[in-house]
């Protein structure tokens, strides 16, 4: 199986509860922040993004909050399901414009307890 | 729709050997990039490209070479493999304009003995 993700911070949540995954970023000039989900043995999958001029964005069962004052990003998952079990990464586009690369955080493992 | 295709999926090398990880995308994305993923380290950017003929270094470029002769392909070369390059490698692509959604391949697991 996939060995990446060992030694990651882990969040354990009861099925049906809400999950909150946090991320701190470093670059004040980043113009986009993105959340990715990675299931075992697969590549990361896009969940939701938020531009730096916003503080909240909602998707299907997910909400991303951005606090630029303290450089903090969070992902909220409503009514967590077993299929949400995965490693979650935040990423920032360090700079302004489409040419800037994405830099990823170290990830948080979400474990859903049925 | 194939998306981002990486080959090979698994490879074992001996120290000092060379090899190329292939990445191809069929979405006409201008931007392509390579990441490596190690336990507890997240994804670290190796190299990226914003178009054919243009490449740039990421966070951990040492020991890796890239080229971008076409829009579709972005191979990653290891000229002299070292055990520290044992990792899972991901290729990803996206459009330049608009958001920053990266589309990832399924990964290539490389072991250097």
């Amino acid at each position: 199986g996939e060995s990446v993700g060992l030694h990651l911070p882990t969040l354990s949540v009861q099925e049906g509860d809400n999950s909150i995954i946090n991320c701190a970023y470093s670059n004040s000039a980043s113009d986009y922040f993105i959340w990715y989900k990675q299931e075992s043995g697969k590549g990361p999958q896009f969940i939701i993004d938020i531009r730096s001029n916003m503080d909240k964005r909602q998707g299907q069962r997910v909400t991303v909050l951005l606090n630029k004052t303290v450089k903090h990003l969070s992902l909220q998952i409503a009514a967590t399901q077993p299929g949400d079990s995965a490693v979650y990464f935040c990423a920032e586009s360090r700079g302004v414009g489409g040419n800037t690369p994405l830099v990823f955080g170290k990830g948080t493992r979400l474990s859903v307890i049925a | 729709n194939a998306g981002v295709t990486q080959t090979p999926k698994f490879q074992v090398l001996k120290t000092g050997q060379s090899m190329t990880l292939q990445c191809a995308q069929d979405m006409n994305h201008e931007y392509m990039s390579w990441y490596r993923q190690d336990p507890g380290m997240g994804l670290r950017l190796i190299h990226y490209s914003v178009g054919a003929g243009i490449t740039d270094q990421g966070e951990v470029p040492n020991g890796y070479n890239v080229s971008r002769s076409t829009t579709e392909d972005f191979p990653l070369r290891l000229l002299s493999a070292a055990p520290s390059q044992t990792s899972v490698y991901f290729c990803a692509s996206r459009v330049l304009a608009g958001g920053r959604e990266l589309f990832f391949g399924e990964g290539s697991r490389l072991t250097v003995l």
Side-chain angles (χ1 to χ4, degrees):
Chain A
E2 184 61 73
S3 63
V4 295
L6 291 176
H7 314 302
L8 288 177
T10 299
L11 175 67
S12 295
V13 175
Q14 202 74 32
E15 181 180 359
D17 286 353
N18 297 335
S19 303
I20 300 176
I21 302 171
N22 297 304
C23 178
Y25 65 92
S26 59
N27 193 327
S28 300
S30 296
D31 65 347
Y32 268 93
F33 301 89
I34 306 99
W35 282 99
Y36 281 85
K37 173 185 180 183
Q38 186 178 29
E39 296 174 329
S40 182
K42 296 186 177 180
Q45 286 183 295
F46 173 89
I47 302 172
I48 191 168
D49 63 0
I50 186 168
R51 292 192 70 165
S52 59
N53 60 356
M54 302 170 66
D55 52 20
K56 181 179 180 178
R57 190 171 185 211
Q58 289 185 294
Q60 188 176 15
R61 276 202 311 119
V62 295
T63 301
V64 56
L65 299 177
L66 176 63
N67 185 330
K68 292 181 285 294
T69 303
V70 294
K71 296 182 184 173
H72 184 267
L73 188 68
S74 68
L75 177 71
Q76 300 178 1
I77 304 173
T80 312
Q81 303 168 359
D84 295 326
S85 292
V87 177
Y88 289 80
F89 294 96
C90 64
E92 57 181 305
S93 183
R94 285 191 179 170
V96 177
N99 290 3
T100 55
L102 277 186
V103 177
F104 283 75
K106 291 182 169 47
T108 297
R109 179 182 299 281
L110 176 64
S111 179
V112 180
I113 305 163
Chain B
N1 225 1
V4 179
T5 302
Q6 291 182 233
T7 56
K9 287 186 169 46
F10 301 93
Q11 182 72 49
V12 179
L13 289 178
K14 294 181 180 177
T15 297
Q17 286 185 318
S18 63
M19 79 155 301
T20 299
L21 298 176
Q22 302 290 346
C23 177
Q25 52 90 11
D26 61 359
M27 297 173 282
N28 203 31
H29 287 169
E30 302 97 331
Y31 182 99
M32 296 186 74
S33 55
W34 277 101
Y35 291 85
R36 60 177 288 174
Q37 187 172 33
D38 304 296
M41 298 294 291
L43 291 107
R44 292 184 291 170
L45 181 65
I46 305 171
H47 286 285
Y48 66 102
S49 167
V50 298
I54 306 168
T55 63
D56 211 340
Q57 295 182 349
E59 303 167 276
V60 289
N62 292 341
Y64 307 96
N65 282 350
V66 291
S67 60
R68 185 93 180 270
S69 56
T70 67
T71 299
E72 294 79 19
D73 300 297
F74 191 44
L76 179 72
R77 297 184 186 85
L78 287 72
L79 297 178
S80 180
S84 61
Q85 293 178 304
T86 294
S87 190
V88 180
Y89 292 85
F90 287 99
C91 180
S93 71
R94 63 171 171 84
V95 295
L96 274 185
R100 304 290 182 266
E101 179 180 355
L102 274 176
F103 294 82
F104 281 83
E106 290 296 299
S108 297
R109 179 180 289 277
L110 175 66
T111 301
V112 183
L113 303 176

